[in-house]
Amino acid sequence: MAASGHQDRGSSLPEALFRHGLVISSGGTLTLTNALHAVRERWWVLIAGLLIGLAAAAAASWTAVPVYTSTTRLFVGATGEAENADAYAGGLFAQQRVQSYVRVLEGDRLGRRVIADVGLQVTPDELAAKVTVRPVPETAILEVTVSDGSPERARAIADSFGRHAIEQVTVLETTAGAVDPAVRVTTLDAATLETEPVSPDVTRNVALGISLGLLAGLMAVLLPARFGRGIVTREQVRECTGRDVLGALVEDHRFRDVGPLAGLRADSPNREALRAVRGRLLHAHRDTPPRVLVVTSALRGEGSSVLAANLAVTVAQAGARTLLIDADVRNPSVSRYLDLPEDTGLTDVLSGRASLEDAVRPWGEDSLLVLTAGSVPLDPSALHDSLSLRALVDTLKDSYDVVIIDAPALAPVADAAVMAAWADGCILVTRYGGTPREHLSGAAAVLARERAELLGVVLNRVPPRSARARGYRHPYPADPDRRARRDLIDRRLHIGAPGRGAPRTANSAVAVSPTARPERP
């Protein structure tokens, strides 16, 4: 394919966004839709926050020392000459005195008398911390409230405070030579005995714990969605690359460790995701579907080699003669993933040490052949820049329907960009929530500068809960009744029908292996 054919098809949007700094490198706008998706994806964080807040409130209420209160009220009234004045003046006189008596009742002198009277083992300052003296507004009433761990002791302290306050005020308000004090203090309400503690307030603590727990959980859910750098949504992919998501592969250790599609069920979401990617690539609205595909990523370890191998298997299962090339000669992984020998491969063919027929190896029962990386070259960059690799791929297009090239990551080296420039298209693999946005946008900009056509992005290792919450996965399980009927039919075919254990005859039905393939003409 001529290089000039790529001059007018490479998109300049990612490069322009990256060059002018319009791509968000950390965080983004938190819309209502993104917030709802984040809550659906990490709803368990909200539940955890609620439970932690509830547990903290319960623990605080359980370990707290109960506090009881007792309240007594004292009335301040004028006597002597003050009684002959009008009622209004007498009331004002009493209210003014009330403000002064607050300081008297809070003093150390009265406190020491109460300590001696009740027999407390505390200091006057410690006792003052338990006592609250408050004048009732617009009245001549003093309210004395005592808090203590014992309801009986709280009442005894409040009662002692009332009696000693009356004695001390009487002494202060009796002038020399006078018989009666100018102001008389009397007990309006005796000290109460409260059997219910005022602290801890279990209802208030539980409500506060639940509220704070939900708030903390909500912040833990929304802050990563607002300031997180990883790619998680289709909008973020379009913003960074100008392309859509081709598919999303759900996190599954068997998909990475066991081998291509080997450890997956027939209804596995990754099987359907790979078929969807194949369909979007090979049956897109184009005059001719791409025949040479480069699979790469922005950073190492994002799963581009696993995707390349599984995509090659999926394309081959559709009947297309497919060749998978491991062009990551620095860190080859296709041979290990497919359990193939590494003695002869791409580098040996390009250097003339081996022929293409000797280096290409079949894999599986489908029409898939693999060209591993081969021995390590002296200069990997020169290998990818050489015209011999491009000429080899042009030759292979005559023998294969689809050629898939597993290329190294774009951030460390420029090998993938060079190959994508003369390929029919490129696929970027990004790890869900792991690839920073600036790296993905930078990778798209590198491809755009090389005039390579970016076909789309594949999200890899998406947690199952996130896949459902963000619409990447739509489960469509098989009918269990139909599966049970199929298993019953298989058992009958195995033991013979209609009689149990009947021998199989020439006319008996024979089950066909689902992996059997017709011979090629």
Side-chain angles (χ1 to χ4, degrees):
M1 184 175 297
S4 59
H6 291 271
Q7 297 300 321
D8 55 352
R9 70 178 186 179
S11 173
S12 60
L13 176 59
E15 182 180 7
L17 291 175
F18 190 77
R19 182 173 60 250
H20 294 290
L22 299 179
V23 174
I24 297 176
S25 59
S26 61
T29 302
L30 183 61
T31 63
L32 178 60
T33 302
N34 292 338
L36 293 177
H37 284 163
V39 171
R40 288 184 58 193
E41 179 181 352
R42 305 183 66 192
W43 58 267
W44 56 271
V45 176
L46 294 177
I47 302 300
L50 185 148
L51 294 178
I52 292 175
L54 186 61
S61 301
W62 181 264
T63 58
V65 177
V67 177
Y68 300 87
T69 62
S70 179
T71 301
T72 183
R73 292 179 177 85
L74 306 176
F75 178 76
V76 180
T79 61
E81 297 178 357
E83 292 180 349
N84 299 326
D86 57 80
Y88 179 74
L92 290 178
F93 178 77
Q95 292 180 22
Q96 292 173 357
R97 289 300 197 189
V98 165
Q99 299 294 333
S100 301
Y101 296 156
V102 172
R103 305 297 297 273
V104 173
L105 270 64
E106 292 177 346
D108 291 348
R109 183 178 179 182
L110 182 60
R112 284 191 292 268
R113 290 184 179 182
V114 173
I115 291 173
D117 183 27
V118 182
L120 302 175
Q121 302 297 322
V122 295
T123 64
D125 291 337
E126 292 174 344
L127 178 61
K130 296 183 177 183
V131 180
T132 302
V133 181
R134 184 183 69 90
V136 179
E138 305 298 330
T139 68
I141 298 175
L142 278 174
E143 187 176 83
V144 181
T145 302
V146 178
S147 301
D148 193 83
S150 169
E152 293 80 8
R153 188 165 56 241
R155 183 178 65 173
I157 295 174
D159 180 69
S160 179
F161 250 100
R163 288 186 287 104
H164 287 286
I166 293 174
E167 294 175 0
Q168 187 165 343
V169 169
T170 301
V171 172
L172 292 174
E173 293 293 346
T174 303
T175 60
V179 178
D180 296 324
V183 175
R184 187 183 303 276
V185 179
T186 58
T187 302
L188 182 63
D189 293 321
T192 58
L193 178 63
E194 302 291 345
T195 58
E196 293 294 329
V198 296
S199 177
D201 189 342
V202 178
T203 303
R204 182 183 64 85
N205 291 347
V206 169
L208 183 62
I210 291 176
S211 301
L212 293 179
L214 284 176
L215 179 61
L218 189 63
M219 296 296 290
V221 169
L222 297 182
L223 285 180
R226 171 61 178 85
F227 298 103
R229 300 170 58 200
I231 299 293
V232 294
T233 67
R234 292 183 175 90
E235 292 76 13
Q236 292 170 351
V237 171
R238 295 191 195 100
E239 183 181 10
C240 292
T241 65
R243 294 293 184 270
D244 291 326
V245 175
L246 294 174
L249 301 180
V250 177
E251 174 69 52
D252 190 342
H253 69 90
R254 297 170 300 176
F255 192 64
R256 304 191 311 271
D257 303 333
V258 178
L261 307 176
L264 304 182
R265 304 184 308 273
D267 58 348
S268 168
N270 284 340
R271 285 182 179 268
E272 297 302 324
L274 288 167
R275 294 191 185 104
V277 173
R278 178 189 65 190
R280 292 187 179 100
L281 291 175
L282 301 183
H283 305 290
H285 299 289
R286 297 166 53 106
D287 296 335
T288 57
R291 297 184 57 192
V292 179
L293 297 173
V294 172
V295 180
T296 184
S297 59
L299 303 174
R300 284 192 60 190
E302 296 187 319
S304 58
S305 298
V306 174
L307 174 67
N310 283 277
L311 182 60
V313 172
T314 306
V315 173
Q317 287 178 343
R321 187 167 174 81
T322 309
L323 175 65
L324 172 63
I325 301 177
D326 188 353
D328 189 357
V329 296
R330 291 179 176 84
N331 296 283
S333 56
V334 170
S335 57
R336 294 193 300 271
Y337 187 64
L338 299 181
D339 195 19
L340 293 174
E342 301 181 1
D343 51 352
T344 305
L346 175 64
T347 57
D348 302 287
V349 174
L350 294 178
S351 61
R353 293 192 296 266
S355 63
L356 181 62
E357 291 75 13
D358 296 334
V360 172
R361 296 178 175 87
W363 189 91
E365 300 178 358
D366 300 298
S367 54
L368 173 62
L369 289 94
V370 181
L371 179 60
T372 59
S375 57
V376 180
L378 296 178
D379 188 356
S381 298
L383 173 68
H384 294 97
D385 291 337
S386 65
L387 297 177
S388 56
L389 177 59
R390 179 176 176 181
L392 174 64
V393 174
D394 288 339
T395 302
L396 293 173
K397 289 195 298 184
D398 297 333
S399 304
Y400 298 93
D401 299 322
V402 179
V403 177
I404 298 178
I405 303 175
D406 175 30
L410 285 163
V413 293
D415 301 347
V418 174
M419 288 183 285
W422 44 258
D424 293 335
C426 178
I427 302 173
L428 266 179
V429 181
T430 181
R431 181 173 177 176
Y432 180 92
T435 306
R437 303 182 193 183
E438 60 268 25
H439 287 284
L440 182 62
S441 58
V446 170
L447 294 174
R449 284 196 295 268
E450 295 293 334
R451 302 299 179 184
E453 183 171 5
L454 177 59
L455 300 177
V457 177
V458 174
L459 288 175
N460 190 29
R461 301 184 67 175
V462 183
R465 185 182 293 109
S466 302
R468 291 189 295 269
R470 297 192 179 274
Y472 296 129
R473 177 185 177 186
H474 302 281
Y476 191 65
D479 184 3
D481 296 335
R482 184 180 181 213
R483 181 179 298 176
R485 291 193 299 270
R486 184 187 62 189
D487 294 340
L488 178 61
I489 293 174
D490 290 342
R491 287 196 299 270
R492 288 180 176 178
L493 291 176
H494 179 69
I495 65 176
R500 179 178 178 86
R504 187 179 297 275
T505 65
N507 295 328
S508 299
V510 178
V512 180
S513 172
T515 59
R517 292 179 54 85
E519 294 293 335
R520 285 186 173 272

